[in-house]
Amino acid sequence: MDPLRPDTTRMMTEALSALRKPEARGQAFSTASAQAAQPLSLRQRLRAIVGDAPHTERDMDALRLPLLRCILAEQWGDRATDDPLFHEILAAVDHDMQGRPELRHVLHEAVLALLKT
């Protein structure tokens, strides 16, 4: 077993679990251009992936990989997505989530939390 895989799965679970907590609100900007200059937060990027519609279990399966990819890219940087190891780790974590009901539940709860924001 790859020693990196359990740590990565735990990191993904923690990131998804953290979505249940409201995002810290920063100070409001006075202009739209100042807001546009700010990069999107991880929560905002994940929210864009989830969309606005309620999700069935089948939808969760389709959302899982894009959400995991986004979280890993946030953790390791967008340039890491070009590395073949990134895709191996992503596939391993995805496989873990498919086979473990408690991880699928964490994903479902995270998606519900994103829909409320």
Side-chain angles (χ1 to χ4, degrees), residues 12 16-17 21 31 48 56 60 64 69-70 76 85 88 97 99 111:
M12 299 296 276
L16 289 168
S17 294
K21 302 172 187 140
T31 66
T56 65
M60 293 295 166
R64 186 179 55 247
R69 177 185 304 275
C70 185
W76 295 329
L85 183 58
E88 290 178 32
M97 290 195 82
V111 168

Tab-separated table of all heavy atoms in Angstrom, residues 12 16-17 21 31 48 56 60 64 69-70 76 85 88 97 99 111:
chain	number	residue	atom	x	y	z
A	12	MET	N	-8.380	14.900	2.186
A	12	MET	CA	-9.578	15.175	1.391
A	12	MET	C	-10.823	15.146	2.285
A	12	MET	O	-11.705	15.990	2.155
A	12	MET	CB	-9.719	14.140	0.275
A	12	MET	CG	-8.558	14.145	-0.685
A	12	MET	SD	-8.425	15.682	-1.565
A	12	MET	CE	-9.575	15.363	-2.848
A	16	LEU	N	-13.375	18.269	2.870
A	16	LEU	CA	-14.811	18.190	2.629
A	16	LEU	C	-15.599	18.446	3.907
A	16	LEU	O	-16.632	19.111	3.888
A	16	LEU	CB	-15.163	16.811	2.048
A	16	LEU	CG	-14.702	16.571	0.611
A	16	LEU	CD1	-14.838	15.103	0.244
A	16	LEU	CD2	-15.460	17.442	-0.365
A	17	SER	N	-15.100	17.935	5.029
A	17	SER	CA	-15.776	18.165	6.305
A	17	SER	C	-15.775	19.640	6.679
A	17	SER	O	-16.739	20.146	7.269
A	17	SER	CB	-15.111	17.357	7.413
A	17	SER	OG	-15.283	15.981	7.178
A	21	LYS	N	-18.691	24.072	7.761
A	21	LYS	CA	-18.566	25.297	8.553
A	21	LYS	C	-18.691	26.498	7.630
A	21	LYS	O	-18.168	26.482	6.521
A	21	LYS	CB	-17.212	25.326	9.256
A	21	LYS	CG	-17.002	24.138	10.160
A	21	LYS	CD	-15.597	24.101	10.685
A	21	LYS	CE	-15.394	22.811	11.445
A	21	LYS	NZ	-14.118	22.226	11.228
A	31	THR	N	-15.677	48.432	-4.114
A	31	THR	CA	-15.897	48.461	-5.554
A	31	THR	C	-15.927	47.057	-6.123
A	31	THR	O	-15.330	46.132	-5.592
A	31	THR	CB	-14.786	49.250	-6.275
A	31	THR	OG1	-13.564	48.536	-6.120
A	31	THR	CG2	-14.641	50.659	-5.712
A	48	ALA	N	-19.091	26.491	-7.420
A	48	ALA	CA	-19.314	26.583	-8.864
A	48	ALA	C	-19.424	25.190	-9.498
A	48	ALA	O	-20.216	24.983	-10.423
A	48	ALA	CB	-18.184	27.377	-9.519
A	56	THR	N	-28.830	13.949	-6.598
A	56	THR	CA	-29.122	12.559	-6.266
A	56	THR	C	-27.807	11.829	-6.012
A	56	THR	O	-26.720	12.394	-6.211
A	56	THR	CB	-29.843	11.874	-7.442
A	56	THR	OG1	-28.942	11.811	-8.554
A	56	THR	CG2	-31.116	12.611	-7.829
A	60	MET	N	-23.909	12.680	-7.176
A	60	MET	CA	-22.750	12.709	-6.279
A	60	MET	C	-21.574	11.970	-6.913
A	60	MET	O	-20.432	12.396	-6.802
A	60	MET	CB	-23.078	12.075	-4.929
A	60	MET	CG	-24.074	12.827	-4.118
A	60	MET	SD	-23.453	14.432	-3.613
A	60	MET	CE	-24.965	15.178	-3.092
A	64	ARG	N	-18.007	13.841	-7.576
A	64	ARG	CA	-16.903	13.454	-6.701
A	64	ARG	C	-15.532	13.786	-7.308
A	64	ARG	O	-14.721	14.469	-6.688
A	64	ARG	CB	-16.991	11.971	-6.354
A	64	ARG	CG	-15.962	11.523	-5.342
A	64	ARG	CD	-16.088	10.041	-4.996
A	64	ARG	NE	-16.021	9.216	-6.190
A	64	ARG	CZ	-17.050	8.497	-6.678
A	64	ARG	NH1	-18.215	8.497	-6.052
A	64	ARG	NH2	-16.917	7.795	-7.781
A	69	ARG	N	-10.526	16.789	-7.424
A	69	ARG	CA	-9.478	17.433	-8.234
A	69	ARG	C	-9.261	18.878	-7.787
A	69	ARG	O	-8.136	19.342	-7.635
A	69	ARG	CB	-9.851	17.394	-9.711
A	69	ARG	CG	-8.860	18.094	-10.630
A	69	ARG	CD	-9.361	18.125	-12.069
A	69	ARG	NE	-9.650	16.814	-12.580
A	69	ARG	CZ	-8.752	15.999	-13.130
A	69	ARG	NH1	-7.512	16.390	-13.221
A	69	ARG	NH2	-9.100	14.821	-13.582
A	70	CYS	N	-10.341	19.595	-7.530
A	70	CYS	CA	-10.261	20.987	-7.101
A	70	CYS	C	-9.559	21.100	-5.747
A	70	CYS	O	-8.709	21.971	-5.551
A	70	CYS	CB	-11.668	21.589	-7.049
A	70	CYS	SG	-11.712	23.340	-6.668
A	76	TRP	N	-1.990	21.457	-3.542
A	76	TRP	CA	-0.661	21.300	-4.137
A	76	TRP	C	-0.349	22.302	-5.242
A	76	TRP	O	0.750	22.298	-5.781
A	76	TRP	CB	-0.496	19.889	-4.673
A	76	TRP	CG	-0.516	18.870	-3.566
A	76	TRP	CD1	-0.093	19.039	-2.283
A	76	TRP	CD2	-0.986	17.539	-3.658
A	76	TRP	NE1	-0.277	17.884	-1.574
A	76	TRP	CE2	-0.808	16.944	-2.387
A	76	TRP	CE3	-1.527	16.773	-4.686
A	76	TRP	CZ2	-1.157	15.633	-2.125
A	76	TRP	CZ3	-1.873	15.459	-4.419
A	76	TRP	CH2	-1.686	14.902	-3.150
A	85	LEU	N	1.705	11.738	-11.295
A	85	LEU	CA	1.482	11.288	-9.926
A	85	LEU	C	0.213	11.916	-9.341
A	85	LEU	O	-0.512	11.273	-8.579
A	85	LEU	CB	2.693	11.609	-9.048
A	85	LEU	CG	2.634	11.125	-7.607
A	85	LEU	CD1	2.454	9.611	-7.550
A	85	LEU	CD2	3.890	11.534	-6.857
A	88	GLU	N	-2.589	9.778	-10.390
A	88	GLU	CA	-2.594	8.513	-9.656
A	88	GLU	C	-3.171	8.707	-8.257
A	88	GLU	O	-3.961	7.885	-7.784
A	88	GLU	CB	-1.179	7.946	-9.568
A	88	GLU	CG	-0.640	7.434	-10.889
A	88	GLU	CD	0.784	6.924	-10.763
A	88	GLU	OE1	1.153	6.405	-9.687
A	88	GLU	OE2	1.533	7.033	-11.754
A	97	MET	N	-12.993	6.678	-1.844
A	97	MET	CA	-14.294	7.284	-1.552
A	97	MET	C	-15.434	6.442	-2.121
A	97	MET	O	-16.491	6.349	-1.507
A	97	MET	CB	-14.355	8.706	-2.082
A	97	MET	CG	-13.447	9.638	-1.288
A	97	MET	SD	-13.791	11.362	-1.571
A	97	MET	CE	-15.167	11.602	-0.450
A	99	GLY	N	-15.497	3.243	-2.334
A	99	GLY	CA	-15.651	2.009	-1.578
A	99	GLY	C	-15.981	2.177	-0.107
A	99	GLY	O	-16.197	1.192	0.595
A	111	VAL	N	-21.552	18.646	-0.096
A	111	VAL	CA	-22.345	19.184	-1.203
A	111	VAL	C	-23.578	19.907	-0.654
A	111	VAL	O	-23.914	21.011	-1.113
A	111	VAL	CB	-22.717	18.079	-2.201
A	111	VAL	CG1	-23.769	18.560	-3.196
A	111	VAL	CG2	-21.474	17.577	-2.939
